[in-house]
Amino acid sequence: RRRAHSALAETLRELPDRQVWHRAAGAAGADESVAAALEDAAERSRHRGGAVTALERAAALSVSPGRRADRLLRAAELAVDSGHRETVERLVGAARTLPLTTAQEATAKWVLSGFEDGMRESPSHIGELAALAASVAADGYPDPALRILWGAAARCFWSEPGPDTRRAVLAVADGFGIPAGDHRKLGIDSIVAPFERGEQVLAHLRVFAGTTGRDPEVDHYLSSAAYQVGAFDLAAHFAGAAAPGFRSAGRLGLLTRALAIQASSLARLGDLAAATPIAAESAAFALETGQPFMHATATVTQAEIAALRGDYPQAATLAMDAERTALAAGARPVLAKVQLARGLIALGEGRFDDAFTDLARIHDPRDPSYSLSLRACFLTELAEAAVRSGRTDAAAELLRELEPAAASTPAPALQIGMRYARAVLAGETAAELFTLALQADLTGWPAERGRLHLAYGEWLRRQRRVVESRTQLRTAREIFDALGFAAWSERARLELRSAGESSPNRDPDARERLTPHELSIAQLAAQGLTNREIGQRLYLSHRTVSTHLHRIFPKLGISSRGDLAALLPTLEETAG
């Protein structure tokens, strides 16, 4: 059998990735040259399941225990990407039967925490990881060093280690000598120093925006960088480009994360129709791949969507579910989004004092909801709650704290929020500030444009400029009707009524009659995909898809899938 494999290997010289498997099967014992070739094939593999298998076989053929451990640990890293917790634990367990160096043992610990991004660890471990990355880089292994440093940076997002640790991580990243536009460097810079490095990160992201679809891992790093600096339009774009590649390669662990970023970004932009099925899919995959904090992230995005649509009981339940996971571990970004969801619920129900209290917690460094980057992303809601609750002085103080950041970075969410806040807090001199805010480029940010029109219309009516107010309020109503923002749509209608203009009744959008799972299936069917193709996308049987479609048709008042395209925009059109 070994001779047969060797003969096959000889005939496959022009297909090295196939040849190496026959070379491995024909090896009688340890063979470092074959192990190295398998390792190279693994790094080229588009499917991470095959790469893990190749590295595990390469480990078995390794001559030295050190190389065997390196390959087992690298296989474990890729298994994290694929969302296979049991495989990760088995590979790390195999590595730990060998004599490990300090760096290898630290890598083993880091890999095992990959499903939870180190949330069960002390923040002091972030500095240790940064030091480990520097040591690995000094030994001549820059790629593993960057992966370890990325783990340290991710922990800076989930927790708050303080400025000293952030500076230490940034110093290590700067010391690697990699180009400033490297996707991994952009990801690290954006997490560790979102305001200090925001301008240069955004400049590179705008260049990369036209080159997506080549490598899902690159797109994923870029989506994370865009999210950190509040460029939600770019984050949705990059994450949407990364997801198909992760899906086709079976990298469900990373697919979960890409979908979570895409859903959260689309919700922030106001595209609830697109965000809803994506958030539901991310939540399902997070459970399947054993990523509790990603499940909480997707769940709290669902809470935000429900609050914006006016389903306050559902929003409160989802927010509580997310908080239950995040609170004990101190997952700050999830807790910040929980407070956002509660603030949106309170705004919709007219409890403006509660809304301000909920949203202000995100800005308090002593509060577990404090998040360095996300506190700059929800200023519109904070300012609205402040004006309606009479807490304008407190809001102005929080804005003053953010002025240095706003002066140093063009981060879109921060700049849009600051312009809105300045206008609504300005009192009788607000007209010029509203005009300035509406002149800014809000392409792709319809929710923020709608809020500006609504606030400007309300201000004009209070100034007895009733005729002028109608134009602003009418525009706001049309935007919020299209987006499905129930509470804001109703507010625009009430203001218009007070300004002497009635509004047509708003019928529920067809998409609002479906559950997130049904909407996902319906949108794919509207694109023309068969039941089998939909099942492959969503990891369902074609019979299950058929059953769902037969439930969907009566809800929408149609009798066949041919009618779906007229009722539902395709997923690509909605996301765009």
Side-chain angles (χ1 to χ4, degrees), residues 244-411:
F246 289 150
R247 193 187 300 275
S248 64
R251 301 173 71 179
L252 300 188
L254 287 176
L255 175 61
T256 301
R257 293 166 181 260
L259 293 173
I261 291 174
Q262 187 182 16
S264 183
S265 299
L266 289 170
R268 283 281 78 208
L269 296 171
D271 194 347
L272 306 187
T276 298
I278 296 170
E281 187 180 23
S282 178
F285 279 143
L287 285 178
E288 183 177 333
T289 56
Q291 299 182 81
F293 298 109
M294 293 313 302
H295 181 261
T297 298
T299 300
V300 80
T301 296
Q302 292 176 307
E304 179 184 358
I305 293 168
L308 290 168
R309 282 186 165 155
D311 189 349
Y312 303 129
Q314 177 71 355
T317 298
L318 290 166
M320 187 178 297
D321 288 346
E323 185 180 48
R324 189 176 296 115
T325 299
L327 192 58
R332 289 180 181 273
V334 176
L335 295 173
K337 291 287 292 290
V338 166
Q339 294 309 121
L340 170 66
R342 287 176 174 155
L344 290 169
I345 293 168
L347 281 171
E349 293 178 340
R351 296 183 289 107
F352 303 117
D353 275 318
D354 291 342
F356 184 81
T357 299
D358 289 332
L359 294 164
R361 285 180 58 184
I362 303 169
H363 295 261
D364 183 355
R366 299 162 299 182
D367 194 283
S369 305
Y370 174 80
S371 172
L372 181 69
S373 58
L374 293 183
R375 69 192 174 108
C377 297
F378 312 142
L379 297 180
T380 302
E381 292 85 353
L382 178 77
E384 180 182 339
V387 169
R388 290 176 166 270
S389 64
R391 308 280 291 278
T392 54
D393 289 345
E397 179 60 32
L398 292 176
L399 291 177
R400 277 193 290 273
E401 293 175 9
L402 284 170
E403 286 290 357
S408 66
T409 177

Side-chain angles (χ1 to χ4, degrees), residues 38-59:
L38 274 170
E39 189 173 16
D40 291 341
E43 294 299 332
R44 290 192 297 270
S45 175
R46 292 187 70 251
H47 198 288
R48 282 311 190 244
V52 170
T53 303
L55 282 165
E56 191 169 8
R57 178 61 177 149

Side-chain angles (χ1 to χ4, degrees), residues 157-205:
F157 173 63
W158 290 104
S159 62
E160 181 44 62
D164 291 342
T165 299
R166 287 178 177 272
R167 280 192 291 268
V169 174
L170 201 61
V172 172
D174 290 343
F176 280 0
I178 57 176
D182 182 278
H183 56 279
R184 298 162 297 184
K185 183 68 161 57
L186 291 174
I188 293 168
D189 284 357
S190 66
I191 294 175
V192 180
F195 304 132
E196 299 88 337
R197 300 285 173 94
E199 184 171 8
Q200 62 196 69
V201 168
L202 275 165
H204 288 294
L205 290 174

Side-chain angles (χ1 to χ4, degrees), residues 438 449-458 472-473 475-476 479:
L438 284 167
R449 179 174 287 280
R451 288 184 175 118
L452 272 170
H453 282 295
L454 177 57
Y456 192 17
E458 290 171 333
Q472 301 295 329
L473 294 170
T475 301
I479 291 172

